[in-house]
Amino acid sequence: MIEMVIEQRRRSLGGGLEVGRVLPFAKRRMVGPFVFFDHMGPLDVAAGAGRDLDVRPHPHIGLSTVTYLFSGEIMHRDSLGSEQAIRPQEVNWMTAGSGITHSERFEKARAVGDHLHGIQAWVALPTRDEEEAPSFSHHAGADLPHWSDGGVEGHLIAGSAYGLTAAARTHSPLFYAHLEMAPGAVTEIPREFSERALYVATGAVELDGARYDAGKMLVLGKGASKLRATEAATVMLLGGEPIGERFLYWNFVSSSQERLAQAAEDWKAGRMKLPDADHDEFIPLPDGPPPPTKP
């Protein structure tokens, strides 16, 4: 059973970079702990592209950012001193906790050209972990278990599913997987989580007798279990256990509206450290009213 179909909404991040925004959605804010889901590109970038394509330093609190690429390369730098390029079938997992800043720059694309395509998700932290110390980890190879079965090539990005467990440290029960499916291939969707969804990044799939094309997220009920590719398809599976209501303002996530307001004020006042290797510019707080607070 499919509870809801969410179609991506195209958003410009500037410099020609577009994303398909899927979560949050007005009628479905989260799937398990997943509170944000952007489909980046696909975008061909010619050598010599301007720096306005880059995502300049900006802050986060209360979440883990999960960056995963199908193609291309992004250079990550953060206020902990991390400097790490991410390439296809690798994961940059950054836990913001009490606060972190980072930049995401397309340096390879500017130098030699590139084809950029990937997903960035945010995983909200449980209340007990929202103010933990920030951290960063990079995962590749054996950290992302791989399997091959009946025309399906799978990569487990985070959490546990299909009898496998990925290396990234998570804070609540979840799963996140990348499937490359050949035409006609069939796969089981993990059942052991309260909330589940799938996102069709490329191609098309069939579920419960209906066809769904690229750009759609299917939020699944308890019954849905088998997925079939009607043509070659790239599919992301995700879900987990709910962690409670979360408030979002710009790049901040929290169970407390007051905490969002404090984070916004900290960034505006320059109290959040910029990356050591990338501190000459930053993204200012958006115009408009601050996040609401309780009376």
Side-chain angles (χ1 to χ4, degrees):
M1 178 181 127
I2 298 172
E3 293 183 353
M4 182 181 296
V5 178
I6 304 173
E7 188 130 14
Q8 61 160 261
R9 292 91 63 201
R10 301 304 290 179
R11 299 284 188 271
S12 173
L13 299 186
L17 178 62
E18 276 198 352
V19 299
R21 180 70 41 82
V22 183
L23 292 175
F25 180 59
K27 296 181 179 179
R28 184 74 190 219
R29 306 296 293 175
M30 300 172 69
V31 176
F34 288 84
V35 71
F36 182 92
F37 192 96
D38 262 4
H39 183 178
M40 300 182 289
L43 175 68
D44 288 313
V45 181
R51 286 175 61 88
D52 56 348
L53 183 67
D54 292 344
V55 181
R56 292 169 290 152
H58 59 282
H60 292 285
I61 66 163
L63 56 85
S64 295
T65 64
V66 188
T67 307
Y68 185 83
L69 297 181
F70 307 125
S71 66
E73 180 176 307
I74 301 174
M75 177 59 74
H76 163 99
R77 295 183 179 91
D78 65 40
S79 51
L80 300 177
S82 311
E83 185 168 340
Q84 176 66 59
I86 180 172
R87 301 176 180 90
Q89 297 175 9
E90 298 178 353
V91 171
N92 276 359
W93 188 285
M94 185 183 76
T95 296
S98 60
I100 198 169
T101 69
H102 75 136
S103 62
E104 297 156 296
R105 296 194 181 272
F106 302 97
E107 294 170 358
K108 177 188 174 185
R110 287 201 304 276
V112 298
D114 210 351
H115 180 72
L116 302 173
H117 193 199
I119 303 287
Q120 185 168 91
W122 296 355
V123 177
L125 297 175
T127 304
R128 66 179 183 274
D129 299 319
E130 286 183 296
E131 297 299 324
E132 76 165 32
S135 61
F136 173 82
S137 60
H138 176 78
H139 301 279
D143 281 1
L144 282 67
H146 169 265
W147 71 97
S148 180
D149 182 32
V152 177
E153 296 289 329
H155 300 269
L156 186 63
I157 299 168
S160 298
Y162 300 105
L164 304 168
T165 298
R169 175 178 173 249
T170 58
H171 294 76
S172 64
L174 63 85
F175 76 104
Y176 188 27
H178 163 213
L179 306 183
E180 290 293 333
M181 303 182 68
V186 176
T187 190
E188 289 280 345
I189 303 169
R191 292 174 174 264
E192 58 267 29
F193 297 91
S194 299
E195 299 184 359
R196 305 173 300 153
L198 67 88
Y199 178 74
V200 187
T202 67
V205 300
E206 182 182 281
L207 188 65
D208 292 347
R211 174 188 167 106
Y212 299 93
D213 295 319
K216 293 181 171 61
M217 176 176 281
L218 313 182
V219 181
L220 308 175
K222 294 186 181 300
S225 63
K226 284 189 181 292
L227 177 71
R228 177 179 175 272
T230 57
E231 58 186 71
T234 300
V235 179
M236 307 298 281
L237 300 178
L238 61 144
E241 300 306 317
I243 60 169
E245 183 180 21
R246 287 296 180 272
F247 302 102
L248 279 77
Y249 173 69
W250 191 37
N251 300 309
F252 305 129
V253 173
S254 180
S255 58
S256 163
Q257 291 175 307
E258 288 87 352
R259 183 66 178 93
L260 294 184
Q262 181 62 59
E265 183 57 35
D266 287 344
W267 181 245
K268 185 177 180 180
R271 290 191 289 264
M272 297 183 75
K273 180 181 182 292
L274 293 171
D276 289 334
D278 193 354
H279 54 74
D280 293 334
E281 53 182 344
F282 60 88
I283 302 176
L285 194 73
D287 293 332
T293 56
K294 296 174 185 176

